[in-house]
């Protein structure tokens, strides 16, 4: 590495360590920011010589990155940004901190994918899904797909692992000559009713889909979720045992298996590593308190709320909604989500925007009770499971109340 990059790496690690010591989070953003100020090409220097996989998409990228990094450990030490710092500052910091590892698995914010491909020269890029996110800030879905498509077309040597069930992803991956398709299902359909290529309606039937006006259609998947397991490209079915809930996470595991297969890791080698992952930065964490077993589920946009309903048991459920800066300030997305799956369980609501949620539940015919604190919620439910589904800052508030569970 050039001297400037060495100095930048060292200062970056020190800044991150100081930030951690001062109790200001994990320090990865500030560390990466300072490193990149000293050497704007630091990420490229740190990436050089490593075999890298990038993971991007609107939802599931933190979990899929964690699962992929775990499976990649079959091959040796892996650098990863496991705390969700998914912009170039976070990548720089993660690689600086890890030292010289042969492998890296990086979660990438979908807006930054083109730049991070340019700077890290990954071997594999995994594309999970694209759906509407924070309304006041995120790009429109079709624009994001176009950005991905352009980026991949400019890097023909990158192998793409992509979701065959999401028309937006299939269209974006079409820029690449080498694509491995996985099928993990698509619960949220509202952002892909119209073909991004031709503007014609997309038809769906039993998991298949096709454009009614151009050749865009669902490709045959090489990796497929089937019951509690995954079918690999040879047709062999593997039972997937995870400590994470829901079919959604079996889909995330299928993606991880498809990615590491491109590095030569067989599913049978990878599966025991996937089974070691318990929770990711508090997501899916379980805490026992006053005889209640509390489980934390993060849901940040309409598609991820549907996934959370799929993962949650039919048990008392606390919903918490804030609308602070990291959440997005506009809560009208609540009307994109069908809350009716919650009619069959006791529902409690809390958070800064509990009243927005109250109106939405009223419209949806879901009975609920408003509580003003987490303790009040605990006292309101009988001993046993309490599912907590919260958006970003609401999730962090509850996690803090439970003593920063991981
Ligand atoms: Zn079309």
């Amino acid at each position: 590495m050039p001297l400037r990059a060495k100095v930048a790496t060292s200062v970056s690690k020190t800044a991150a360590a100081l930030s951690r010591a001062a109790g200001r989070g994990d320090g990865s953003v500030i560390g990466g920011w300072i490193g990149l100020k000293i050497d704007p090409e630091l990420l490229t220097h740190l990436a050089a010589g490593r075999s890298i996989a990038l993971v991007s998409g609107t939802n599931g990228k933190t979990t899929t990155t964690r699962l992929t990094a775990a499976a990649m450990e079959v091959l040796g030490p892996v650098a990863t940004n496991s705390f969700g710092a998914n912009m170039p500052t976070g990548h720089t910091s993660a690689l600086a901190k890890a030292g010289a590892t042969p492998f890296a698995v990086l979660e990438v914010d979908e807006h930054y994918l083109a730049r991070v491909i340019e700077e890290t020269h990954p071997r594999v890029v995994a594309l999970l899904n694209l759906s509407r996110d924070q309304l006041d800030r995120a790009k429109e879905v079709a624009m994001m797909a176009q950005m991905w498509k352009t980026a991949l077309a400019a890097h023909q040597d990158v192998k793409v692992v992509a979701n065959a069930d999401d028309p937006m992803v299939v269209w974006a991956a079409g820029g690449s000559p080498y694509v491995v398709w996985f099928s993990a299902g698509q619960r949220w359909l509202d952002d892909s009713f119209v073909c991004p290529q031709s503007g014609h309606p997309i038809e769906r039937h039993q998991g298949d889909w096709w454009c009614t006006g151009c050749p865009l259609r669902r490709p045959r998947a090489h990796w497929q979720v089937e019951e509690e397991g995954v079918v690999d490209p040879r047709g062999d079915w593997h039972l997937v045992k995870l400590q994470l809930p829901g079919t959604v996470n079996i889909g995330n595991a299928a993606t991880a298996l498809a990615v590491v297969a491109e590095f030569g890791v067989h599913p049978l080698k990878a599966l025991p590593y996937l089974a070691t992952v318990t929770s990711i930065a508090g997501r899916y964490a379980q805490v026992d308190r006053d005889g209640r077993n509390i489980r934390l589920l993060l849901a940040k946009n309409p598609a991820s709320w549907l996934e959370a309903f799929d993962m949650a048991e039919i048990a008392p459920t606390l919903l918490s909604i804030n609308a602070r800066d990291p959440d997005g300030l506009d809560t009208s997305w609540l009307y994109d989500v069908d809350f009716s799956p919650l009619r069959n369980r006791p529902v409690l609501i809390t958070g800064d925007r509990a009243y927005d949620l109250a109106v939405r539940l009223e419209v949806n015919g879901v009975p609920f009770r408003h509580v003003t604190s987490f303790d009040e919620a605990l006292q309101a439910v009988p001993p046993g499971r309490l599912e907590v589904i919260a958006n970003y800052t609401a999730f962090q508030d509850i996690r803090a109340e439970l003593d920063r569970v991981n």
Side-chain angles (χ1 to χ4, degrees), residues 194-202 210-216:
V194 173
C195 174
Q197 176 71 41
S198 68
H200 290 86
I202 285 176
W210 59 92
C211 175
T212 52
C214 82
L216 189 75

Side-chain angles (χ1 to χ4, degrees), residues 74-393:
V74 170
L75 298 172
V78 180
T80 187
N81 51 339
S82 46
F83 294 98
N86 60 14
M87 298 179 199
T89 47
H91 306 137
T92 303
S93 189
L95 296 182
K97 190 177 167 192
T101 62
F103 301 97
V105 180
L106 300 175
E107 170 189 340
V108 185
D109 180 285
E110 50 279 29
H111 298 79
Y112 287 88
L113 186 60
R115 175 173 159 194
V116 178
I117 290 174
E118 193 72 46
E119 295 187 5
T120 64
H121 304 289
R123 194 195 294 189
V124 176
V125 172
L127 307 178
L128 308 184
N129 49 64
L130 281 173
S131 68
R132 66 191 68 180
D133 206 353
Q134 301 172 9
L135 297 169
D136 53 329
R137 165 157 67 211
K139 276 205 172 10
E140 202 217 326
V141 170
M143 271 169 70
M144 188 72 73
Q146 179 65 67
M147 280 172 51
W148 281 9
K149 192 179 173 79
T150 307
L152 294 170
H155 294 272
Q156 302 271 308
D157 53 331
V158 171
K159 295 178 172 180
V160 175
V161 172
N163 185 359
D165 295 323
D166 186 332
M168 290 294 169
V169 167
V170 171
W171 182 68
S176 175
Y178 184 103
V179 187
V180 173
W181 300 106
F182 65 89
S183 166
Q186 191 190 28
R187 265 157 215 83
W188 177 261
L189 307 176
D190 289 16
D191 289 308
S192 50
F193 277 127
V194 173
C195 174
Q197 176 71 41
S198 68
H200 290 86
I202 285 176
E203 294 251 13
R204 287 191 162 78
H205 183 66
Q206 294 183 342
D208 196 8
W209 60 261
W210 59 92
C211 175
T212 52
C214 82
L216 189 75
R217 63 171 305 137
R218 183 184 182 278
R220 196 187 64 81
H222 304 93
W223 296 81
Q224 182 100 31
V225 172
E226 206 174 287
E227 289 166 15
E228 301 296 296
V230 173
V231 181
D232 71 18
R234 298 175 49 187
D236 295 332
W237 181 82
H238 307 278
L239 177 65
V240 176
K241 280 192 184 155
L242 297 178
Q243 299 191 54
L244 313 178
T247 320
V248 172
N249 280 316
I250 297 185
N252 291 335
T255 312
L257 292 174
V259 171
V260 299
E262 293 305 312
F263 291 80
V265 180
H266 192 276
L268 288 176
K269 283 262 167 58
L271 283 163
Y273 286 76
L274 298 184
T276 63
V277 177
T278 49
S279 72
I280 297 120
R283 293 156 207 218
Y284 320 113
Q286 297 190 43
V287 183
D288 289 308
R289 185 73 49 99
D290 299 342
R292 279 80 173 171
N293 176 248
I294 305 150
R295 179 164 61 180
L296 300 182
L297 299 169
L298 173 70
K300 28 178 208 165
N301 51 40
S304 63
W305 278 87
L306 293 191
E307 292 178 351
F309 297 160
D310 172 76
M311 292 182 219
E313 278 175 27
I314 299 175
T317 302
L318 173 67
L319 309 178
S320 184
I321 301 272
N322 289 348
R324 299 176 202 164
D325 192 53
D327 307 308
L329 308 178
D330 182 345
T331 57
S332 63
W333 60 265
L334 284 166
Y335 289 83
D336 291 338
V337 180
D338 177 16
F339 286 86
S340 63
L342 299 178
R343 282 180 196 146
N344 59 358
R345 65 201 80 179
V347 173
L348 304 163
I349 65 167
T350 193
D352 299 349
R353 303 299 279 266
Y355 292 138
D356 293 356
L357 185 55
V359 175
R360 176 66 188 111
L361 293 175
E362 193 74 48
V363 170
N364 233 172
V366 179
F368 62 88
R369 173 176 161 188
H370 179 225
V371 292
T372 52
S373 70
F374 190 71
D375 273 335
E376 192 186 339
L378 272 187
Q379 299 315 314
V381 300
R385 170 59 61 90
L386 170 62
E387 299 280 15
V388 176
I389 309 177
N391 70 346
Y392 193 72
T393 65

